[in-house]
Amino acid sequence: MEKTDAHISLEVQKNSLTKPKPSPAQINFKDLEYSVTIKNAISNDSKKTLKKLSKNFLPNKKDESKKKIILDRITGSFMPGRLTAIMGPSGSGKTSLLNLLSGRVSSGKVEGSIWLNGRKADSGSLGLVSRFISQDDVMMSTMTVREVVEMAIKFRVDGITRDEINVRANEAINTLELEKCQNTLIGDTIAKGISGGERKRTSIAMEMATDSSILFLDEPTSGLDMYTSILVVKLLRFISRSGQTVVSVIHQPSSDIFNLFDDIVLISEGKIVYFGAQKKLVDYFSSLGFQCPNYTNPADFVFTDVLNLNEAELERMKAENFSGSKADYKILKINHLAESWKVSEQYDVIKERVDNPRLEQLNDSNFTSSVFPSRQFFLLCNRALKDTFRNELVLKARLAQSIAMYLIMGIVFYKSNTKSTSTNFEGSLFFGIVS
Ligand SMILES: Nc1ncnc2c1ncn2[C@@H]1O[C@H](COP(=O)(O)OP(=O)(O)OP(=O)(O)O)[C@@H](O)[C@H]1O
């Protein structure tokens, strides 16, 4: 039987009894540009050979590295208590935007500004205030579902008691329907553990169980069946209702999933072509001349008719004898859509939010990691020990290596009492530590 909204809301209300509300965070960005320099990867030797073959084949020296603009001076605002979907074709810059806003970009050039509740934010503060659930989650294969959820809580919430950890872990596990596999190992390609869907839900449970003001997710429904996908997005909606800012990249959502989002951001070619209420998207594009047919999923309409060339545009391209390719014509269309967006009423609403952030500034305590580094070190050592003892193959290999090293040491230092004692001692100590 399918779960209803009421069923899930009951569990989320239960959550709010035990979990303190995170401080609300409004994340604003203005004229954000992210670019990388792309270098020509052809080696000098290959260049010489190719030059012999064709003088015109290689680009001129000055073209060897060029700037690639991934996000092109975009402006926007994500609000607490709202669930936002970022949609767009593959390679349009969705993940890059999430990476920038969660402080995870280490290469390339970033221009423009990002604020958290009106306070200028850098990658350090963005990283501390937000959580990021990536497409390829990283979890230790030798730990169980319950252990990774508990580990996430211990690692991020300071001074929490064993009982509180249990309560929080139980809530996250029950809400994400992970009860049946809570004691199953995560597993990897060699030792099979939980399924792909369970893995995705576990990574959300890890973030749900801790307090964070902003939650970023990169395609949380990819690889999931329809029922689980709807369940996951409903949960994200309820998480947002507790005051968190939830932003998720979503790929080709069904209309049921699309309707669960409050706001939609459409990105193409690194430019924003729409940023606003989900309910106003169809009307906005109809005002630009793109009519969504009756009984059509708005998300499908956006991908086929708006962000790609539709039948009418392909015919117009032929009629105009356009000299470039379809891709060039599409870029012209996207540029036009991005320009139209910047003169729309909805854009003024976003700009107003960016220019006048309404929330109080976040306290300094929001920007510091709450768990002491010494405690984090202890937790990591504990996890590494567990990992070593559970991974039988690696453990046996390490034991064999140590025995072999000690045998070699024994042979090297056997009957070596003719040499200076301190040299022998230092030498054996060195080998002992290394092995
Ligand atoms: N560090 C980088 N160096 C070079 N190119 C990059 C870098 N980061 C991103 N890109 C390029 O920028 C573009 C946008 O990448 P991004 O991963 O943000 O796209 P996306 O919209 O998330 O795509 P998908 O839906 O396929 O995951 C792509 O063409 C990608 O190859």
Side-chain angles (χ1 to χ4, degrees), residues 34 36-38 68 70 88-97 107-108 135 218-219 249 251:
Y34 175 46
V36 289
T37 305
I38 302 174
K68 177 175 178 175
I70 296 171
S90 180
S92 55
K94 305 178 296 292
T95 305
S96 302
L97 177 59
S107 63
Q135 278 182 49
D218 197 359
E219 301 199 13
V249 168
H251 187 66

Side-chain angles (χ1 to χ4, degrees), residues 236-301:
L236 296 180
R237 190 178 161 89
F238 282 115
I239 291 172
S240 73
R241 295 304 182 261
S242 75
Q244 275 172 286
T245 309
V246 186
V247 182
S248 172
V249 168
I250 204 96
H251 187 66
Q252 291 279 31
S254 67
S255 52
D256 284 343
I257 290 180
F258 182 80
N259 290 332
L260 288 170
F261 286 95
D262 302 304
D263 295 318
I264 304 288
V265 182
L266 283 185
I267 300 188
S268 186
E269 308 288 342
K271 296 180 172 71
I272 289 184
V273 298
Y274 180 81
F275 194 140
Q278 171 263 115
K279 290 201 161 61
K280 291 186 178 166
L281 179 136
V282 169
D283 286 346
Y284 171 75
F285 284 112
S286 115
S287 75
L288 295 183
F290 298 95
Q291 300 297 339
C292 178
N294 285 340
Y295 312 114
T296 301
N297 173 7
D300 293 344
F301 152 73

